């Protein structure tokens, strides 16, 4: 049998405040992975400012792509196809990557593949786990999304549960702000919580009536805010360390219990986590031990591949490419693109 | 020398190919579809119609603003992507200058005006000298209707307005201008990639082409968040 040609994907990601480009071989091997983070600028404003993010993307995008090609030791002529995140995300930010990717694909006559950002987060798992193949269950926990998903095949996703209000990452960021840790809150809570008692305060584990797989984090968040207010009123010293440890524990508990329910009820033997909050150390160890207890194989990207990057878009883009997905030069950004949806 | 020019600073999407002294193609749409959906298909279409291959292009010219923030970025990213892929230099053409070029050779003042919302206009004032070289009276700016009207009244010369700022501020001008003025007719008042291409050629001749990495929109207006932060900091230093 003739040896199959390698498929090299140039991937571009600009959905939020990271300008990123990567070259990925056959969906699994990362030849380069360049990320230009704007976090320092947005920290001045206490959160991502869409217009500023878009302005930074257009300034940074060419050097980021050039470095990705150089690091991979390839030129555009070696590239099989160009993949780009076209949603969900900030529309102005997405449009920079989409316009750039389309122009490159046109100029070099390469196929263009639009990729769903959250599907990219899930596919980050393929990069470091050669043995991971669908079907598997995935828990997606990021800044804007909290989804419990069945990955039935490559590029085939079924949303089983979702948050009814705040995303997990959003809850982390809001609580961090309330206790004065600043932006971005997730990593800061993670670090501080290591020193705290996770059972100091018992926060509610919200259940969504009739939707056992759905999440709700606004209740936990409000309970934390109430607790802070009560401490202030009683003029008690607030133990931030115990508070964030208890908050984190409540969130982790809600996430782990739903995920384990899904793998049990559907008889799935593989569970992957994905998204920025998947880099949370408490969540990682809780899921890992729950999986070990239940004989389930557990997968997670290393922390650097959990947050936004283009390598994950290159992996997702590869599986779309080999399925024959192609986008035209009229590809637009779709800020509210749904998981599994194809536009 | 073959120049591809793109213009997407306002509602108009436009693409042109200038081959030496010949405008090989120009495609302009003044319709509310997003530039993200129209601009690259338009470029692809003029390439197809004129048997042009991307590799045939020597310079990529973009209209860098001022204008709609998102519109500018779509055009600039399209140009930067092509320049990166083809390894070609770019021309960063000021949008208002290119608009003034639509009125090549007039002996009157030209005032390019783009609607900047909140009763403001992105604008500049130009004239052509005896050799028909374009000159600006000053730097381009973001002015209120009042400011620009007062400036033109002060100059007291006959002026032709060009650009979509006329639909926004036309009534105001009619009431407040004391100098002679005219609004340019429809066939020359919109942004055109052909004018962008022509100015790019002049830049190339003067050795003013730039690396694609350095090209960015010239917004003339900071983002709202930056404005608010600056105001806050000012208030704090005043206090
Ligand atoms: N160690 C951590 N513990 C908890 N949360 C974390 C950690 N690291 C990052 N986060 C959170 O992850 C989020 C960022 O993740 P990600 O980059 O995937 O989100 P996003 O791209 O902004 O949103 P989305 O992917 O939903 O569009 C932020 O809310 C951040 O606080
Ligand atoms: Mg993300």
């Amino acid at each position: 049998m003739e040896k199959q040609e390698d498929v090299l994907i140039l991937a571009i990601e600009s959905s939020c405040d990271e300008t990123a480009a990567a070259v990925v071989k056959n969906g699994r091997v990362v030849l380069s992975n360049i990320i230009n983070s704007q976090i320092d600028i947005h920290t001045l404003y206490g959160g991502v400012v869409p217009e500023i993010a878009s302005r930074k993307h257009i300034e940074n995008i060419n050097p980021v792509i050039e470095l990705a090609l150089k690091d991979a030791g390839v030129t555009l002529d070696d590239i099989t196809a160009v993949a780009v995140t076209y949603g969900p995300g900030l529309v102005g930010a997405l449009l920079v990557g989409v316009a750039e990717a389309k122009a490159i694909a046109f100029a070099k006559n390469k196929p263009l593949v639009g990729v769903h950002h959250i599907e990219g987060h899930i596919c980050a798992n393929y990069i470091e786990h050669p043995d991971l193949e669908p079907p598997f269950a995935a828990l997606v926990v990021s800044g804007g999304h909290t989804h419990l998903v069945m990955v039935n095949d490559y590029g085939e996703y079924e949303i089983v549960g979702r948050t009814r209000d705040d995303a997990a990452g959003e809850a982390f960021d809001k609580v961090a702000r309330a206790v004065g840790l600043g932006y971005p809150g997730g990593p800061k809570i993670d670090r501080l919580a290591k020193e705290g008692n996770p059972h100091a305060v018992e926060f509610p584990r919200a259940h969504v009536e009739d939707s056992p797989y759905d999440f709700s984090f606004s209740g936990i968040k409000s309970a934390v805010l109430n607790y802070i207010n009560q401490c202030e009123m009683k003029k008690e010293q607030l133990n931030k360390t115990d508070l964030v440890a208890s908050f984190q524990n409540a969130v982790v508990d809600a996430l782990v219990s739903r995920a384990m329910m899904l793998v049990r009820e559907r008889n799935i033997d593989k569970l992957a986590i994905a998204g920025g909050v998947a880099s949370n150390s408490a969540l990682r160890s809780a899921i890992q031990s729950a999986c070990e207890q239940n004989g389930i194989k557990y997968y997670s990207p290393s922390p650097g591949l959990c947050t936004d990057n283009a390598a994950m878009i290159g992996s997702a883009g590869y599986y779309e490419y080999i399925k024959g997905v192609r986008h035209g030069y009229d590809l637009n950004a779709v800020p509210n693109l749904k998981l599994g949806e194809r536009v | 020398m073959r120049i591809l020019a793109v213009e997407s600073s306002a509602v108009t999407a436009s693409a042109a190919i200038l081959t030496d002294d010949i405008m090989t193609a120009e495609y302009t749409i003044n319709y509310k579809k997003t530039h993200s959906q129209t601009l690259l298909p338009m470029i692809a279409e003029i390439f197809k119609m004129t048997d042009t291959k991307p590799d045939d292009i020597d310079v990529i010219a973009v209209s860098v603003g001022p204008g709609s923030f998102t519109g500018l970025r779509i055009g600039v990213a399209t140009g930067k992507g092509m320049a990166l892929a083809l390894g070609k230099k770019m021309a960063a053409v000021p949008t208002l200058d290119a608009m003034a070029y639509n009125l090549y050779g007039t002996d009157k003042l030209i005032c390019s005006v783009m609607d900047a919302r909140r009763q403001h206009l992105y604008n500049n004032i130009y004239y052509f000298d005896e050799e028909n070289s374009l000159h600006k009276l000053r730097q381009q700016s973001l002015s209120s209707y009042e400011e620009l009207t007062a400036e033109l009244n002060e100059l007291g010369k006959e002026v032709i307005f060009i650009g979509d700022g006329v639909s926004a501020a036309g009534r105001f001008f009619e009431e407040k201008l004391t100098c002679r003025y005219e609004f340019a007719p429809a066939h020359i008042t919109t942004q055109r990639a052909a004018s962008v291409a022509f100015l790019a050629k002049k830049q190339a001749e003067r050795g003013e082409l730039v690396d694609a990495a350095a090209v960015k929109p010239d917004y003339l207006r900071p983002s709202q968040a930056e404005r608010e932060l600056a105001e806050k900091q000012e208030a704090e230093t005043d206090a």
Side-chain angles (χ1 to χ4, degrees):
Chain A
M1 204 177 83
E2 211 180 304
K3 190 178 173 287
Q4 288 265 301
E5 286 265 331
D6 283 337
V7 173
L8 289 193
I9 303 283
L10 169 67
I12 298 172
E13 152 69 39
S14 69
S15 67
C16 191
D17 61 341
E18 258 83 40
T19 317
V23 178
V24 178
K25 187 167 91 178
N26 300 332
R28 302 262 178 173
V29 182
V30 177
L31 302 186
S32 66
N33 187 23
I34 306 298
I35 304 173
N36 180 302
S37 173
Q38 310 169 0
I39 210 141
D40 294 344
I41 305 153
H42 298 287
T43 302
L44 286 175
Y45 299 91
V48 177
V49 181
E51 175 59 23
I52 294 177
S54 307
R55 290 184 179 202
K56 286 292 154 197
H57 284 310
I58 192 108
E59 287 174 27
N60 296 330
I61 193 158
N62 277 39
V64 165
I65 295 170
E66 277 162 348
L67 198 52
L69 292 166
K70 185 161 163 260
D71 258 22
V74 300
T75 68
L76 280 173
D77 295 318
D78 305 316
I79 295 294
T80 315
V82 181
V84 63
T85 306
Y86 72 110
L90 304 169
V91 65
L94 287 164
L95 279 169
V96 174
V98 168
E100 179 96 11
K102 289 196 298 187
I104 293 172
F106 169 71
K108 298 303 274 185
N109 196 21
K110 305 283 181 186
L112 175 74
V113 181
V115 171
H116 188 289
H117 178 79
I118 298 301
E119 296 177 17
H121 274 304
I122 294 172
C123 292
N125 280 286
Y126 293 137
I127 293 167
E128 292 160 309
H129 304 294
D131 63 311
L132 177 61
E133 286 189 48
F136 61 92
L139 173 65
V140 185
V141 275
S142 63
H145 297 81
T146 305
H147 280 337
L148 200 50
V149 178
M150 273 306 304
V151 183
N152 292 321
D153 199 346
Y154 290 111
E156 279 177 33
Y157 302 88
E158 175 196 346
I159 301 176
V160 181
R162 54 159 56 85
T163 181
R164 292 303 182 93
D165 37 61
D166 292 351
E170 208 178 342
F172 269 94
D173 293 336
K174 285 178 179 168
V175 166
R177 193 170 307 149
V179 298
L181 289 178
Y183 170 87
K188 291 185 172 145
I189 289 186
D190 191 352
R191 228 169 296 134
L192 188 60
K194 289 197 169 86
E195 327 272 305
N197 172 9
H199 302 289
V201 194
E202 287 303 321
F203 289 116
R205 275 52 168 174
H207 291 271
V208 180
E209 199 78 27
D210 301 329
S211 307
Y213 290 116
D214 281 357
F215 304 93
S216 166
F217 293 110
S218 74
I220 303 180
K221 179 198 66 193
S222 306
V224 172
L225 300 184
N226 282 340
Y227 184 86
I228 296 171
N229 277 339
Q230 279 169 11
C231 278
E232 273 171 14
M233 279 182 354
K234 290 190 241 157
K235 302 217 163 25
E236 277 173 19
Q237 177 75 29
L238 181 70
N239 185 333
K240 278 187 199 175
T241 314
D242 282 351
L243 178 69
V244 297
S246 301
F247 158 75
Q248 177 176 276
N249 186 49
V251 173
V252 167
D253 220 36
L255 294 170
V256 175
S257 61
R258 307 286 196 298
M260 296 319 291
M261 183 163 74
L262 175 64
V263 290
R264 254 195 321 270
E265 289 193 1
R266 295 236 186 155
N267 227 344
I268 307 294
D269 58 358
K270 286 174 276 185
L271 173 67
I273 63 174
V277 184
S279 59
N280 181 272
S281 55
L283 176 63
R284 291 167 87 92
S285 63
I287 291 240
Q288 185 165 13
S289 61
C291 283
E292 275 164 13
Q293 277 166 28
N294 290 277
I296 287 152
K297 206 146 186 288
Y298 155 78
Y299 299 87
S300 64
S302 55
L305 287 173
C306 287
T307 42
D308 288 354
N309 65 84
M312 68 188 199
I313 303 304
S315 178
Y318 167 80
Y319 289 105
E320 293 296 286
Y321 172 78
I322 57 170
K323 278 176 72 173
V325 172
R326 301 290 183 270
H327 283 96
Y329 298 139
D330 61 348
L331 176 66
N332 202 358
V334 184
N336 300 315
L337 190 64
K338 303 278 178 300
L339 189 73
E341 183 184 23
R342 296 290 178 269
V343 178
Chain B
M1 183 170 55
R2 196 167 285 153
I3 299 172
L4 168 70
V6 299
E7 159 60 73
S8 58
S9 59
V11 179
T12 305
S14 183
I17 299 169
L18 177 66
T19 313
D20 299 321
D21 289 323
I22 297 175
M23 197 59 67
T24 313
E26 188 186 21
Y27 188 164
T28 300
I29 296 273
N30 196 350
Y31 188 66
K32 54 187 186 278
K33 263 195 191 172
T34 83
H35 296 320
S36 181
Q37 292 167 295
T38 53
L39 194 61
L40 194 56
M42 287 165 62
I43 295 170
E45 183 67 19
I46 59 173
F47 274 56
K48 197 171 109 205
M49 285 287 188
T50 61
D51 300 318
T52 307
K53 310 228 163 5
D55 279 324
D56 301 334
I57 299 295
D58 302 301
V59 175
I60 291 124
V62 289
S63 168
V64 290
S68 139
F69 299 164
T70 298
L72 288 172
R73 281 190 291 265
I74 292 170
V76 171
T78 302
K80 287 175 76 132
M82 293 210 38
L84 181 147
L86 301 170
K88 294 294 157 61
K89 290 268 190 184
M90 290 184 73
V93 175
T95 305
L96 297 164
D97 294 9
M99 289 162 69
Y101 241 95
N102 293 1
L103 280 165
Y104 180 81
T106 180
D107 58 354
K108 304 186 174 97
L109 287 182
I110 302 162
C111 185
S112 300
V113 283
M114 292 176 73
D115 184 5
R117 309 279 163 83
R118 294 182 236 173
Q119 305 272 304
H120 278 66
L121 299 163
Y122 301 119
N123 68 88
N124 208 351
I125 307 168
Y126 306 84
Y127 67 94
F128 283 94
D129 65 17
E130 289 88 64
E131 270 97 52
N132 279 332
S133 295
L134 185 70
H135 298 273
K136 21 185 154 218
L137 288 189
R138 54 159 166 82
Q139 292 304 304
Q140 57 186 9
S141 80
L142 173 62
S143 318
S144 66
Y145 296 177
E146 288 86 357
E147 285 162 346
L148 183 61
T149 305
E151 187 179 359
L152 292 167
N153 285 342
E154 179 89 9
L155 286 166
K157 298 222 177 78
E158 179 164 2
V159 58
I160 307 181
F161 286 96
I162 188 162
D164 68 6
V166 169
S167 358
R171 286 282 299 277
F172 189 93
F173 291 147
E174 279 164 3
E175 282 170 25
K176 300 285 163 68
L177 276 176
T178 55
C179 59
R180 284 173 59 101
Y181 66 90
E182 210 178 311
F183 299 142
H187 71 290
I188 40 175
T189 202
T190 58
Q191 285 84 348
R192 293 183 53 183
S195 298
V196 175
F198 192 76
L199 279 184
K201 180 163 175 267
K202 297 207 168 271
Q203 288 189 357
E205 286 161 1
R206 292 195 300 261
E208 292 172 3
L209 298 181
V210 290
D211 287 335
V215 178
K216 58 179 182 180
D218 188 3
Y219 304 99
L220 268 195
R221 179 184 252 168
S223 67
Q224 191 176 337
E226 286 169 296
R227 282 200 302 273
E228 284 167 4
L229 186 68
E231 277 164 26
K232 209 173 103 193
Q233 283 166 347
E234 212 166 284
E236 275 163 15
T237 44
D238 286 353

